[in-house]
Amino acid sequence: MAAVTTEELDRMLTRLKLTAIRDQLDSLLDEAVRGEMTLRDALAFLCQREIARKDQRRIDMSFGLAKFPFVRDLGGFDFTAQPSLDRGQIRDLATGRFIANGDALLLLGPPGVGKSHLAVALGREAIVAGYTVLFTGAMELVANLAKAQADGRLEERLTHYTKPKLLIVDELGYLPLDPDAAHLFFQLVSRRYGRGAMLVTSNRAVGEWGRVFGDAVVATAILDRLLHHSHVITIRGDSYRLREKRRSGLLQKPAAAHETTTVST
Ligand code: ADP
Ligand code: MG
């Protein structure tokens, strides 16, 4: 075989989109020689490096598209601070099986107990597992849908929110929704139903959702779909934020009677 110039090899690797191999060719080949790899092992080694780069690219891009409001991961979640949580269940959810099944996951509990932290952390795990994710606040979501409707582009917007394999809706119920907003949310939930998973965080128990949506009929229709294939996790604990303050002596521990949460199942 005729000798191939560096430029020609470079062009072939570019054409095959093997950019990691192309960019690090010398050092990868050195490593293969130093490791006394067989040709077969060397080929596998080069493939591994290429795949690792492509996976990392996909993950980086998916993180950008997911629009997480902050960086949190499961490793940074202190389970001992939240004994009501089943660590095994969270780990199971982190595998992303609920996303493959198109299930809904509801994370309920009072403010500060780590709902948003877990939502972001599970979203992160979902991306690593290969799913597309979009994170949005509930108010921002309905405002965007309302605006799209006013502009005659509701379909387009609903599609935008239906595409990701996992849609995370944070802080549903902090403010009640007006009837139009509730109906738009219903349309989205129907659209995703059976197609894509949703993760919803709320400080309201499911029984209070009638008030959140301002209409018991719409609330029931939404809950029917969300609860059909669902995992409901209620965190009943102290606010982590306040706990940190309490630790530093800024706050007194509340009396036991005040520790009951607003959430029940
Ligand atoms: P929620 O969404 O339930 O109101 P957050 O998830 O926003 O609460 O939590 C408030 C803050 O406390 C965040 O900075 C979060 O990372 C942190 N936090 C909450 N619970 C824990 C925990 N168990 N371990 C570590 N950090 C936590
Ligand atoms: Mg939150």
Side-chain angles (χ1 to χ4, degrees):
M1 194 180 130
V4 171
T5 66
T6 305
E7 289 71 30
E8 279 168 331
L9 184 52
D10 204 277
R11 264 201 301 280
M12 286 194 282
L13 290 168
T14 302
R15 188 168 155 200
L16 292 171
K17 299 193 171 70
L18 300 173
T19 52
I21 298 176
R22 181 197 63 198
D23 295 347
Q24 309 159 47
L25 190 61
D26 288 341
S27 72
L28 291 177
L29 292 181
D30 279 350
E31 204 171 326
V33 169
R34 251 183 290 120
E36 296 180 3
M37 292 183 200
T38 62
L39 279 179
R40 196 173 189 285
D41 287 346
L43 182 59
F45 166 68
L46 293 175
C47 288
Q48 276 165 357
R49 290 304 177 90
E50 189 62 48
I51 287 171
R53 154 94 70 108
K54 288 199 167 33
D55 282 348
Q56 194 55 51
R57 278 259 174 87
R58 180 189 59 76
I59 289 172
D60 290 347
M61 202 192 308
S62 300
F63 268 105
L65 293 172
K67 306 248 161 49
F68 293 123
F70 39 70
V71 179
R72 290 289 186 282
D73 58 22
L74 278 185
F77 193 83
D78 176 8
F79 283 92
T80 59
Q82 222 51 267
S84 69
L85 269 179
D86 178 349
R87 197 190 286 234
Q89 185 182 17
I90 300 295
R91 217 177 287 130
D92 189 55
L93 290 164
T95 64
R97 207 171 321 132
F98 81 100
I99 304 169
N101 296 339
D103 296 349
L105 168 58
L106 308 185
L107 288 178
L108 311 178
V113 294
K115 300 182 299 295
S116 300
H117 183 137
L118 285 174
V120 169
L122 289 172
R124 193 187 168 84
E125 296 292 328
I127 286 174
V128 173
Y131 298 102
T132 47
V133 177
L134 179 62
F135 185 109
T136 175
M139 282 300 153
E140 181 198 336
L141 170 75
V142 292
N144 275 333
L145 289 175
K147 180 166 187 313
Q149 188 173 40
D151 297 345
R153 315 178 76 157
L154 182 59
E155 268 311 304
E156 205 177 294
R157 208 64 200 157
L158 282 170
T159 304
H160 169 76
Y161 287 119
T162 309
K163 265 197 187 143
K165 285 289 172 197
L166 174 65
L167 180 68
I168 301 176
V169 180
D170 195 31
E171 302 200 336
L172 185 71
Y174 274 85
L175 293 170
L177 301 180
D178 65 53
D180 288 341
H183 188 70
L184 287 170
F185 188 72
F186 166 72
Q187 280 181 267
L188 175 66
V189 171
S190 312
R191 202 53 93 88
R192 289 194 65 89
Y193 180 63
R195 283 189 217 156
M198 282 181 79
L199 191 170
V200 178
T201 79
S202 178
N203 62 328
R204 301 276 166 211
V206 163
E208 296 176 76
W209 283 24
R211 253 186 287 149
V212 169
F213 294 110
D215 179 332
V217 177
V218 175
T220 305
I222 290 170
L223 280 170
D224 264 358
R225 284 159 183 77
L226 281 185
L227 294 179
H228 188 209
H229 293 286
S230 69
H231 310 259
V232 181
I233 296 180
T234 302
I235 310 176
R236 315 159 187 284
D238 289 348
S239 160
Y240 197 81
R241 284 191 208 100
L242 298 185
R243 174 191 138 109
E244 294 295 292
K245 288 214 178 97
R246 225 174 271 130
R247 275 197 170 165
S248 60
L250 287 171
L251 277 176
Q252 295 293 310
K253 173 110 182 121
H258 296 150
E259 283 187 71
T260 51
T261 68
T262 54
V263 169
S264 59
T265 40

